[in-house]
Amino acid sequence: MAQALVICGPTATGKTALAVECAKKLNSPVISADSQLVYKGLDIGTAKPTEEEKAGVTHYMIDVCEPYCDYSVSDYCDNALPIVESVINNGKVPVICGGTGFYINSLLFDFSYGNVAADENIRNKYLEIARTKGREYLHSLLEKADPESAAKLHPNDVKRVIRALEIYEVGGRKKSEISDGGKRFSYLAVAVAYPREELYQRIERRVDAMFENGLVEEVQSLLARGIDENCRCMQAIGYKEVLECLKNGDNQSTMRDIIKQNTRRYAKRQITFFKKLDGIVWLKPEEASAGNVLEIFYNGKR
């Protein structure tokens, strides 16, 4: 039997409801793995679960930082991994739920990158590069030095990007050639595979609901609180498009269509990412019940 259950996959596939259903049967908490749910005050555009949707299940890693914070993958792992490990050590099954692949990978896999000694001078050099030329440029250096490692790391994960560059420069070997700790614990990962057109319809309904629930007003409220438009959280799909509309006076119907298009593109990227997750089980929508998931979890049967 696996030690953790991961409910992942593209947006608008019912991950939250399925995770809550499983967690209730397991008497376990849900650990969110969503890069936008960590921010307080970003509720509508992130489809943050309501108390009713949580159904009394304890949820972690939601509303853990202010919207002006520059919250990274490393920050997430530092905060979430001890929770996951504590749940496992207490004999429970943590239910990790979300669509941010880099967050999920940071929990499932040990990216300690071998035993190459640290070099403060080299780290400081790359920190200065990140500060002056940006994270994308820093990540491009790793793409040249070690493409395989770069493919596994988000440009925002500056700490680990620098560590991989440090290993290459100090040890003379690519991080991808060094065996690290692999899986931290055994897990079952499941995702729901909707037919493409049905998934797009679900996305469109979700975006429409966000506008009906006050997405534009939520963005205006964040701006009124002094949250800068350049903050990381404001670059998320839904928020950045509303910001552009408010600045340029664009038609809201056009803005809504752009959000739907960008969300569809994001869903495609999520599907591509999760298809590479080791051992993931893709369920048809009619198979996506807690009973079926837990049957696979305990017995490996479908």
Side-chain angles (χ1 to χ4, degrees):
M1 187 187 79
Q3 294 173 289
L5 175 61
V6 182
I7 309 294
C8 57
T11 187
T13 52
K15 294 186 294 293
T16 296
L18 181 58
V20 166
E21 191 182 352
C22 291
K24 289 178 74 172
K25 289 183 178 295
L26 291 166
N27 191 27
S28 296
V30 171
I31 294 88
S32 171
D34 186 294
S35 62
Q36 295 307 114
L37 294 189
V38 298
Y39 293 108
K40 299 176 183 178
L42 276 72
D43 302 328
I44 298 169
T46 63
K48 189 173 290 179
T50 64
E51 291 305 315
E52 182 179 2
E53 289 169 330
K54 291 177 184 176
V57 172
T58 298
H59 281 62
Y60 293 102
M61 299 311 298
I62 294 177
D63 291 337
V64 298
C65 66
E66 297 295 336
Y68 51 77
C69 292
D70 194 18
Y71 201 80
S72 69
V73 180
S74 297
D75 294 325
Y76 172 80
C77 185
D78 290 344
N79 295 153
L81 183 59
I83 297 171
V84 172
E85 292 176 334
S86 176
V87 173
I88 292 173
N89 290 338
N90 286 325
K92 297 287 186 180
V93 177
V95 180
I96 301 167
C97 174
T100 304
F102 289 108
Y103 273 26
I104 290 172
N105 276 358
S106 77
L107 297 180
L108 300 182
F109 304 105
D110 180 4
F111 294 123
S112 57
Y113 300 158
N115 298 312
V116 176
D119 187 309
E120 287 301 317
N121 290 330
I122 290 175
R123 286 190 180 184
N124 289 335
K125 177 184 73 174
Y126 287 121
L127 281 169
E128 181 63 15
I129 289 173
R131 187 186 69 80
T132 57
K133 297 187 177 182
R135 295 166 176 158
E136 294 289 345
Y137 179 81
L138 180 74
H139 191 263
S140 73
L141 297 180
L142 183 59
E143 287 178 336
K144 294 175 183 176
D146 185 356
E148 290 184 25
S149 294
K152 296 178 181 179
L153 295 172
H154 194 282
N156 288 338
D157 197 359
V158 173
K159 177 180 176 182
R160 291 189 174 90
V161 171
I162 289 178
R163 178 59 178 150
L165 285 165
E166 179 184 38
I167 286 171
Y168 181 74
E169 191 163 337
V170 173
R173 294 177 62 195
K174 298 177 182 178
K175 178 268 155 190
S176 55
E177 297 173 345
I178 300 174
S179 176
D180 53 38
K183 293 181 183 178
R184 298 185 194 272
F185 40 77
S186 59
Y187 64 85
L188 169 70
V190 299
V192 183
Y194 277 92
R196 190 61 57 93
E197 286 307 312
E198 188 175 352
L199 175 60
Y200 288 173
Q201 291 170 6
R202 291 175 66 89
I203 287 171
E204 291 188 2
R205 290 196 296 269
R206 170 174 282 191
V207 173
D208 288 337
M210 287 176 178
F211 276 90
E212 292 165 10
N213 293 331
L215 175 59
V216 174
E217 291 77 11
E218 180 172 79
V219 175
Q220 290 172 325
S221 175
L222 290 165
L223 293 172
R225 288 174 51 193
I227 305 304
D228 191 276
E229 63 182 70
N230 295 313
C231 286
R232 182 182 294 184
C233 70
M234 298 294 262
Q235 303 307 307
I237 295 174
Y239 293 90
K240 62 183 178 182
E241 294 86 355
V242 172
L243 279 169
E244 285 301 311
C245 178
L246 292 174
K247 284 195 299 182
N248 302 326
D250 295 336
N251 183 284
Q252 284 202 18
S253 177
T254 301
M255 170 180 60
R256 188 182 299 212
D257 289 341
I258 293 172
I259 293 174
K260 290 177 180 179
Q261 181 184 61
N262 289 342
T263 306
R264 290 194 296 268
R265 289 172 176 168
Y266 177 56
K268 287 183 183 179
R269 295 196 299 273
Q270 288 177 299
I271 291 169
T272 299
F273 187 99
F274 286 115
K275 279 183 176 178
K276 299 176 183 177
L277 182 59
D278 184 38
I280 189 170
V281 175
W282 290 87
L283 302 175
K284 297 177 181 178
E286 60 270 22
E287 297 173 326
S289 68
N292 284 337
V293 170
L294 296 183
E295 178 70 13
I296 301 169
F297 183 82
Y298 285 114
N299 302 313
K301 297 178 181 178
R302 293 191 63 181

